[in-house]
Amino acid sequence: MASSIIGNWKMNGHSALVAEMVGQLKNLVNQVGEGVQVVICPPFPYLDLLQKTVGDAPIGIGAQNVHPEPGGAFTGEVSVTMLQEWGVTHCIVGHSERRLYFGETDDLVNQKVKILLAQHIQPILCVGESLAQREAGIQEATVIGQLGAALQGISSEELSKCIIAYEPIWAIGTGKTATAQQANQMHSTIRHKLAQLSSDEIARAMPVVYGGSVNPKNSGELLQQSEIDGSLVGGASLKPQDFCQIIQSSQ
Ligand code: PGA
């Protein structure tokens, strides 16, 4: 399976970084070929510039959020058709920062996944447990619960178009990565749940990527794990050289 390396800029970056990042990525994506799918998810204001700068290079255009309604009186929100106008191919949903700071529930995440699939934008569905949940030994139950709720009412065919990102909350932005074994174990649990929701064949073909303090030093070992199909990179995706090294380490 091709690896997916996805950069989540969060509320960071600027126009000059779009040009710098894409400039470096264009050469690299040609070198690595179809074995690696690269996606950049900048804040909304840079999506238009990103699309124009990427042109026809094989680099995915990712958003960080979407509203589940097609339009209306939702001040400050962005609809799926607006994302399409920006050429968006992917969209992060259910990130723990949105669940924590913006009160996003499993039900809302489920609605967002559905509207994205209906409009052919690939959801990057984030799941992951808190430190307290891991210490209580309920990390697998937590992640399985999040997956079941977020993917409720979605057909196997639609499910096959999702990317799942396992991001343990205690590893995000903390410099503490899950060990390669911890991550691989959870990815295997995730794939088992995906098989229950669809089929073994679909679950095997779906990208399940890891996120949480991924950097050029630890990415090689993580990406070598049998169940890890790529990474969702936060901080290191703001540094073109680091992001390029992570892409290279996925080969
Ligand atoms: P991080 O963020 O790489 O800075 O830990 C990952 C994420 O939240 O997507």
Side-chain angles (χ1 to χ4, degrees), residues 44 47-48 51 61 63 65-67 69-91 115-116 119 121:
F44 289 134
L47 283 168
D48 188 43
Q51 183 198 15
I61 313 291
N65 192 20
V66 65
H67 192 276
E69 293 294 327
F74 300 103
T75 302
E77 292 294 314
V78 170
S79 76
V80 74
T81 43
M82 296 168 191
L83 295 187
Q84 284 174 318
E85 274 202 60
W86 277 326
V88 165
T89 53
H90 295 74
C91 182
I115 193 132
L116 289 167
Q119 299 303 324
I121 292 178

Side-chain angles (χ1 to χ4, degrees), residues 1-250:
M1 184 192 301
S3 303
S4 301
I5 307 293
I6 304 157
N8 173 14
W9 286 12
K10 310 192 180 187
M11 199 172 72
N12 297 299
H14 40 76
S15 314
L17 183 62
V18 173
E20 195 188 339
M21 181 69 74
V22 175
Q24 296 208 19
L25 286 178
K26 272 187 175 172
N27 290 330
L28 185 59
V29 289
N30 283 332
Q31 281 166 33
V32 294
E34 286 176 7
V36 190
Q37 177 193 34
V38 177
V39 184
I40 309 177
C41 308
F44 289 134
Y46 306 127
L47 283 168
D48 188 43
L49 176 65
L50 178 63
Q51 183 198 15
K52 290 183 175 131
T53 314
V54 163
D56 56 10
I59 297 170
I61 313 291
Q64 297 175 18
N65 192 20
V66 65
H67 192 276
E69 293 294 327
F74 300 103
T75 302
E77 292 294 314
V78 170
S79 76
V80 74
T81 43
M82 296 168 191
L83 295 187
Q84 284 174 318
E85 274 202 60
W86 277 326
V88 165
T89 53
H90 295 74
C91 182
I92 298 172
V93 274
H95 192 282
S96 58
E97 286 152 16
R98 297 227 43 102
R99 294 181 195 251
L100 187 66
Y101 306 134
F102 303 97
E104 286 200 6
T105 59
D106 282 333
D107 181 48
L108 184 59
V109 174
N110 178 243
Q111 291 174 45
K112 291 182 178 191
V113 170
K114 284 179 175 160
I115 193 132
L116 289 167
L117 287 168
Q119 299 303 324
H120 312 292
I121 292 178
Q122 205 171 358
I124 302 163
L125 170 62
C126 303
V127 292
E129 81 284 359
S130 65
L131 186 58
Q133 286 164 330
R134 181 162 278 267
E135 284 173 352
I138 55 168
Q139 67 274 19
E140 302 209 342
T142 302
V143 167
I144 288 170
Q146 287 172 339
L147 278 175
L151 297 171
Q152 200 176 6
I154 291 170
S155 71
S156 299
E157 203 214 317
E158 286 180 316
L159 189 72
S160 70
K161 295 176 186 135
C162 296
I163 296 175
I164 309 297
Y166 168 55
E167 296 206 308
I169 299 171
W170 47 271
I172 297 177
T174 57
K176 267 194 217 163
T177 328
T179 64
Q181 293 71 25
Q182 279 173 325
N184 201 47
Q185 160 84 35
M186 183 64 89
H187 281 227
S188 155
T189 303
I190 289 172
R191 216 176 291 280
H192 188 69
K193 176 68 179 171
L194 294 174
Q196 282 175 354
L197 293 170
S198 57
S199 68
D200 279 350
E201 200 189 343
I202 288 176
R204 262 199 310 274
M206 281 177 69
V208 182
V209 305
Y210 169 81
S213 296
V214 174
N215 61 44
K217 288 203 179 88
N218 60 28
S219 63
E221 194 192 354
L222 285 161
L223 292 167
Q224 268 164 26
Q225 303 303 308
S226 57
E227 298 291 334
I228 302 184
D229 307 314
S231 46
L232 179 54
V233 188
S237 74
L238 296 164
K239 300 176 195 146
Q241 219 183 334
D242 285 9
F243 193 52
C244 287
Q245 280 179 29
I246 292 170
I247 294 167
Q248 277 161 328
S249 74
S250 72

